[in-house]
Amino acid sequence: MNGYMKANYHTHTTRCKHAEGTERDYIEAAISMGMDILGFSDHIPCPFTDGYVSNIRMDMEQADEYVRIIRSLAHEYEGKIRLFAGFEAEYTPEYFDAQMEMMRRVKGDYLIMGQHFLGCEPGGTYTGAPTKNDTFLKEYVDTVIAGMETGAFLYLAHPDLINYEGEETVYEKEMTRLCEALYDLRIPLEINLQGLMQHRHYPAERFWKLAGRTGNRVVLGVDAHHPAQICEQGVYDRAMRMVEKYGLKVEEHLDI
């Protein structure tokens, strides 16, 4: 199929407890749309020590099975599509070393950053909640940059998840700082198709205007939580209109 994305690195599985469908369902959907790469990046587990069980991510003991199944399917679908096993992760210093050790143990392919919280889960503040707090916005930008400087992450998912409703000049200053830092690090920013699909507050035009001005590298990410989301041609077309509007350059394939 012409006129559609060739690679998606942002795909979830049922292990995160809020997605549907089997890995095979996502793979078949990607093949039907002419993709040549599908990366799974389910929410990374956290080594909670107080008995807390997250309802938005897999448990630590599921990571081996997750990677093993994707490796098996990669062998089965060889020649039809390339498959990768990654994780979507917040940069949380308290958990970071243990998560990197887990990545090495299971031989995961890549990490993308999706900074859903500031602070630890549970108890952390959700970054997508509306706020007029300038300090919170600055902390989000500081955390993202610090995480990216570790060199652990392939790209930044939904960079405009932060839902700041305060002074526009403050937003422009801080998000320009984020864009410039990631430009210098040569780390791409993701236009999130699920957000577009579900009419969320992101992708935010005001952010992508800044990214276009800065010249950031850009990728498209479905952020698929259901196999049918892989096949949303109309949403892709809307994203590409945004790309054209702000002079963005999309990178189809990333080095893993």
Side-chain angles (χ1 to χ4, degrees):
M1 177 175 293
N2 294 322
Y4 197 67
M5 58 200 299
K6 292 298 181 183
N8 174 52
Y9 299 92
H10 197 166
T11 313
H12 293 276
T13 78
T14 56
R15 294 170 190 82
C16 72
K17 305 163 190 169
H18 59 279
E20 301 177 50
T22 67
E23 291 87 354
R24 189 180 299 278
D25 292 336
Y26 288 96
I27 295 165
E28 293 289 347
I31 292 172
S32 76
M33 297 303 290
M35 289 187 189
D36 51 35
I37 290 176
L38 184 66
F40 287 89
S41 52
D42 212 353
H43 295 282
I44 197 167
C46 290
F48 302 116
T49 58
D50 58 359
Y52 173 78
V53 177
S54 174
N55 63 359
I56 59 167
R57 64 184 77 244
M58 72 177 73
D59 301 328
M60 288 293 283
E61 57 267 23
Q62 291 180 288
D64 289 276
E65 174 209 43
Y66 167 69
V67 173
R68 185 173 65 251
I69 287 175
I70 294 169
R71 295 282 184 252
S72 176
L73 288 165
H75 179 73
E76 179 182 340
Y77 281 91
E78 188 173 1
K80 296 181 180 180
I81 192 168
R82 295 175 65 198
L83 303 177
F84 293 100
F87 295 89
E88 180 183 13
E90 294 78 14
Y91 176 60
T92 308
E94 179 176 332
Y95 300 137
F96 184 71
D97 289 344
Q99 288 171 328
M100 294 305 98
E101 176 57 32
M102 181 274 294
M103 275 286 291
R104 289 188 288 270
R105 179 175 56 78
V106 302
K107 296 182 172 60
D109 292 316
Y110 66 95
L111 286 177
I112 61 176
M113 182 190 290
Q115 198 65 36
H116 303 91
F117 298 97
L118 292 182
C120 298
E121 181 206 353
T125 304
Y126 176 54
T127 54
T131 182
K132 294 184 178 180
N133 188 325
D134 298 356
T135 300
F136 187 69
L137 174 63
K138 181 180 185 301
E139 185 181 352
Y140 172 81
V141 173
D142 288 343
T143 301
V144 167
I145 293 173
M148 289 302 178
E149 286 176 343
T150 68
F153 297 93
L154 184 65
Y155 73 71
L156 177 59
H158 39 62
D160 41 356
L161 173 62
I162 183 74
N163 195 3
Y164 178 75
E165 297 181 345
E167 293 292 331
E168 193 63 23
T169 54
V170 175
Y171 181 87
E172 289 192 8
K173 175 185 175 182
E174 291 301 326
M175 296 306 262
T176 296
R177 184 164 67 89
L178 185 152
C179 289
E180 290 176 348
L182 269 65
Y183 176 87
D184 291 342
L185 292 167
R186 293 193 52 77
I187 293 173
L189 305 171
E190 177 202 76
I191 297 177
N192 187 274
L193 300 193
Q194 183 184 220
L196 200 60
M197 193 181 312
Q198 297 181 350
H199 305 285
R200 299 182 179 183
H201 64 277
Y202 62 91
E205 298 244 356
R206 61 178 180 165
F207 176 82
W208 293 104
K209 179 180 179 180
L210 299 175
R213 186 184 303 163
T214 305
N216 291 97
R217 300 168 65 196
V218 174
V219 297
L220 301 184
V222 176
D223 196 358
H225 287 72
H226 189 286
Q229 294 177 333
I230 295 284
C231 305
E232 290 282 352
Q233 178 75 49
V235 175
Y236 169 82
D237 293 341
R238 287 166 59 197
M240 290 306 295
R241 287 195 289 272
M242 186 180 295
V243 165
E244 293 171 6
K245 181 176 181 179
Y246 296 112
L248 304 168
K249 294 182 180 179
V250 174
E251 298 191 6
E252 288 277 7
H253 299 102
L254 302 176
D255 294 331
I256 294 179

